[in-house]
Amino acid sequence: MSKPLAIFGGPQMIETPRPHFSWPPPLPELAETVAAYIRAGRPLSIIDRSGIYAELEDRFATLHGRRYAVATSSGTMALYSAFFGLDLQPGDEVISTVYSFHATATPLLHLGVQVVFCDVEADTGNIDPASIEPLITSRTRAILTNDMWGHPVAKAAVGEIARRHDLAWVEDCSHAHFAEYEGKPVGSFGDVAVWSLQGNKLLTGGEGGILLTDSVDIYERATLLGHGLRRSKNCVRSPQWQPIAHTGFGLKLRMHPLAAVIVLHMLEHHSSRWLAERNETLQRFSKGLSRTGWVRPMARRAYVTSMGAHYGFKPRIDFEALGVTRERLIEALQAEGLVVSLPGSQPFHKLALFDPERFTVGRFEKHDNRGRAFPGAEAYYASILSLPTFTFRADWPLVDAYVAAFEKVFSQLEALR
Ligand SMILES: Cc1ncc(COP(=O)(O)O)c(C=O)c1O
């Protein structure tokens, strides 16, 4: 017989000091890499595409088989640059996944683009290809997807719809660095692909983002938006842009050179091992939780050959069958010392920022998604729990302790009901 649950005054299962997970891991040699860059007198501001920018952009583009790259100050600004790159105009419609981190779609509001929410698959949380076509109108210009938590979107199906309707496709790959769909990396499918390189991401510069594309039009417009001076003068060749080759469109969105140094260091020295170890560790976690009989692993479709950065660990539970609410289960697990919570990102139709009558951006009108139902997103969001993205073998004792704590709580469900 297990000990009483901690929520009822029993002993706590986990007393390991917090945080149980933080990212990136300590990298003692990183300070030396940054110091070496500074000691060598290399520039802390770069107005063209030389040095560390070229090194990072070329490496990242090559890894994805893409022609052009633009490093930016954040993933949000990379997305903004992608949308600007597509020359989207006020009133144009973009069909966007209804479930992601909000910044996947919020830059569209600043261009006056109508964000038309599209439901997601209830098991993966990714855009549901079957829900895209009914949303297409004469004003639709693009499809916007996110590879949720590292699980690639149904790339073949989305690509086929985009081609058939002559729509652009923007891939947000911020959760899924180096995840693969049938052996091909995410970010090598759409017209333009974007990654956040913010501090929690597997590959990070602290802050940063990057955009890849094969389209010279998208590349030139994205460059002109936030990279004027010598960069746009050198990189933007089309005659139509020459009058603004110096100023660009007047914003400044470039990455800090030291962020580029850090990203490149992680890419060259750590990321492949991190990817492998995180996937192995989360599989162990997932298998352990599945053995309890109540937790379903994260979905993994047959076309997924790698979950890549596997940005979040969000196993699923049928709370109705469990007979305990999600909030109550979280409370009981937290009392046992686990770091567990509701997922931070809510489906977009729950966010006030997308309300067409409130918080307007300039004089732009927002698309009215009110009154529409998103059963896939509701079901997906209601089924998942947010747990630490344990990554290293050194975390395995804690992983096993988490599993044991779940077992303890599940063995006394009656008391929680
Ligand atoms: C899916 C997704 N898109 C975009 C972003 C925005 O990236 P950033 O924070 O670098 O601006 C994030 C950040 O968490 C994200 O998770």
Side-chain angles (χ1 to χ4, degrees):
M1 175 64 194
S2 319
K3 304 221 162 68
L5 297 182
I7 196 172
F8 301 127
Q12 202 175 323
M13 288 288 283
I14 296 176
E15 288 179 345
T16 311
R18 290 158 185 243
H20 291 172
F21 168 76
S22 63
W23 197 262
L27 298 174
E29 86 293 354
L30 179 61
E32 185 43 45
T33 300
V34 173
Y37 181 91
I38 296 169
R39 266 201 304 270
R42 297 186 67 186
L44 294 175
S45 176
I46 304 174
I47 62 167
D48 54 18
R49 194 188 162 271
S50 63
I52 195 72
Y53 287 164
E55 286 175 50
L56 174 62
E57 291 179 355
D58 290 348
R59 180 97 178 94
F60 205 73
T62 303
L63 285 169
H64 293 85
R66 292 291 210 173
R67 285 178 71 186
Y68 304 110
V70 184
T72 55
S73 53
S74 70
T76 307
M77 286 302 109
L79 282 151
Y80 186 36
S81 307
F83 302 139
F84 189 84
L86 286 169
D87 196 14
L88 298 174
Q89 297 295 322
D92 285 348
E93 292 174 6
V94 168
I95 297 174
S96 163
T97 179
V98 74
Y99 191 51
S100 181
F101 182 70
H102 60 265
T104 296
T106 49
L108 290 167
L109 301 175
H110 295 259
L111 293 167
V113 172
Q114 305 281 297
V115 186
V116 180
F117 298 157
C118 182
D119 205 4
V120 299
E121 299 164 341
D123 59 343
T124 65
N126 280 340
I127 198 164
D128 177 10
S131 301
I132 296 174
E133 250 172 331
L135 300 172
I136 296 174
T137 72
S138 58
R139 309 182 86 173
T140 308
R141 293 278 321 276
I143 301 170
L144 171 58
T145 63
N146 177 44
D147 305 297
M148 208 67 209
W149 313 126
H151 188 293
V153 159
K155 303 285 179 184
V158 173
E160 196 275 322
I161 295 167
R163 268 189 305 279
R164 192 146 37 83
H165 294 273
D166 195 21
L167 302 176
W169 175 9
V170 181
E171 289 182 86
D172 183 348
C173 307
S174 296
H175 288 184
H177 307 60
F178 308 111
E180 288 173 6
Y181 176 99
E182 292 183 346
K184 229 182 132 195
V186 302
S188 59
F189 293 85
D191 297 87
V192 51
V194 165
W195 289 255
S196 166
L197 301 170
Q198 172 272 340
N200 298 330
K201 307 302 182 304
L202 185 108
L203 195 59
T204 175
E207 299 290 350
I210 195 160
L211 169 157
L212 298 183
T213 182
D214 293 329
S215 154
V216 67
D217 292 340
I218 295 173
Y219 175 65
E220 291 194 337
R221 284 185 59 88
T223 300
L224 287 162
L225 177 68
H227 309 260
L229 307 181
R230 225 175 316 160
R231 172 142 191 177
S232 48
K233 268 195 193 152
N234 293 347
C235 298
V236 177
R237 303 259 171 234
S238 302
Q240 71 188 107
W241 299 124
Q242 294 319 305
I244 58 165
H246 179 72
T247 59
F249 282 94
L251 297 183
K252 185 179 186 184
L253 304 180
R254 63 191 187 228
M255 181 182 279
H256 195 292
L258 291 182
V261 170
I262 294 171
V263 174
L264 200 58
H265 176 89
M266 293 188 180
L267 188 56
E268 300 296 358
H269 299 287
H270 298 288
S271 59
S272 355
R273 186 177 52 82
W274 286 345
L275 289 167
E277 234 180 297
R278 179 175 285 181
N279 278 274
E280 192 186 5
T281 300
L282 292 181
Q283 257 178 44
R284 180 187 184 90
F285 200 1
S286 189
K287 276 192 190 141
L289 291 178
S290 300
R291 276 197 304 272
T292 66
W294 288 110
V295 183
R296 281 177 297 166
M298 292 177 72
R300 187 172 170 142
R301 299 276 170 108
Y303 47 67
V304 179
T305 41
S306 168
M307 292 281 284
H310 207 321
Y311 181 59
F313 183 63
K314 319 282 160 179
R316 298 170 294 155
I317 292 179
D318 180 345
F319 288 95
E320 232 171 80
L322 190 71
V324 172
T325 65
R326 184 162 59 159
E327 289 68 19
R328 184 77 171 141
L329 180 68
I330 288 174
E331 232 183 309
L333 291 166
Q334 285 176 341
E336 298 295 343
L338 278 67
V339 177
V340 53
S341 61
L342 294 176
S345 296
Q346 296 220 22
F348 293 170
H349 64 293
K350 306 274 190 201
L351 302 181
L353 182 56
F354 290 107
D355 186 325
E357 288 182 358
R358 299 163 70 205
F359 310 110
T360 47
V361 181
R363 299 176 79 86
F364 292 137
E365 278 188 13
K366 296 184 202 171
H367 189 73
D368 193 348
N369 289 286
R370 291 173 301 181
R372 295 182 50 219
F374 302 96
E378 300 278 3
Y380 178 72
Y381 183 75
S383 72
I384 59 177
L385 279 184
S386 199
L387 286 159
T389 321
F390 291 121
T391 301
F392 299 107
R393 294 208 183 117
D395 296 328
W396 286 14
L398 198 50
V399 167
D400 296 346
Y402 268 59
V403 171
F406 268 84
E407 279 166 349
K408 178 185 173 193
V409 171
F410 286 146
S411 74
Q412 299 181 55
L413 287 172
E414 216 33 71
L416 286 177
R417 283 179 186 137

